Amino acid sequence: MILLPDTIRQLNILSPCLEKYKVNGVSGGLSHCGYDIAVNQSITIAPGGFVLASSVERFTMPRHIIGTQHDKSSWARRGIATQATVLEPGWEGWLTIEISNHGPEVVSIPIGTPIAQILFHRLEGMADGYQGKYQKQANNPVGFIYEH
């Protein structure tokens, strides 16, 4: 089941959790069935380029909720894609967002601009909770961490 805004608010999944807003012509905050997250850094992406950014929002995922990151159509229409990321039950921290430019032009995205949508799904029970290498990510983009 996908969570609606009232449930997202009640579970305190992310902070800040803002009502729907617009900045730089793009909608952010709570939507009809999810939350549109914003970038915490100003970024510029060349055609064929790739950058990491972090979210403005900090997440604390309950053990019975999983989140999935999806592109926003406003950016997809300009060739900007965010690679799908799963927010595991029990994970917490600022989300690192992987962003690619498949379009023909350089694209600049100012700090605070909405970039991707998160859909939250309720699990049938409680998961053990994420204990991996990206737990408690800092408020900056976190690159690949190699494990032995």
Side-chain angles (χ1 to χ4, degrees):
M1 171 187 304
I2 295 176
L3 302 186
L4 297 175
D6 285 343
T7 305
I8 295 169
R9 278 188 215 96
Q10 290 168 3
L11 292 174
N12 295 317
I13 295 172
L14 65 160
S15 178
C17 182
L18 303 175
E19 298 302 316
K20 187 172 184 146
Y21 66 91
K22 277 193 182 173
V23 65
N24 299 317
V26 183
S27 61
L30 286 165
S31 65
H32 297 292
C33 58
Y35 193 92
D36 294 343
I37 61 171
V39 291
N40 204 26
Q41 298 80 24
S42 292
I43 57 175
T44 299
I45 314 169
F50 173 83
V51 297
L52 296 177
S54 60
S55 63
V56 166
E57 300 83 5
R58 185 181 190 287
F59 293 84
T60 305
M61 297 298 297
R63 288 183 32 232
H64 67 292
I65 303 294
I66 190 167
T68 54
Q69 177 188 295
H70 300 272
D71 292 329
K72 284 187 62 62
S73 64
S74 296
W75 287 115
R77 293 164 199 247
R78 295 188 63 193
I80 300 299
T82 59
Q83 282 60 47
T85 299
V86 174
L87 290 76
E88 298 279 354
W91 177 79
E92 60 181 279
W94 284 268
L95 187 63
T96 293
I97 309 159
E98 304 88 1
I99 307 166
S100 299
N101 183 352
H102 302 287
E105 300 176 358
V106 172
V107 175
S108 293
I109 303 172
I111 188 171
T113 303
I115 189 69
Q117 181 182 32
I118 308 293
L119 297 181
F120 299 100
H121 308 262
R122 187 181 308 272
L123 303 176
E124 291 181 352
M126 290 284 181
D128 288 339
Y130 181 81
Q131 297 297 321
K133 60 188 174 184
Y134 299 111
Q135 183 66 290
K136 298 187 179 181
Q137 282 186 166
N139 190 7
N140 60 329
V142 177
F144 175 73
I145 298 173
Y146 179 78
E147 288 185 319
H148 298 280

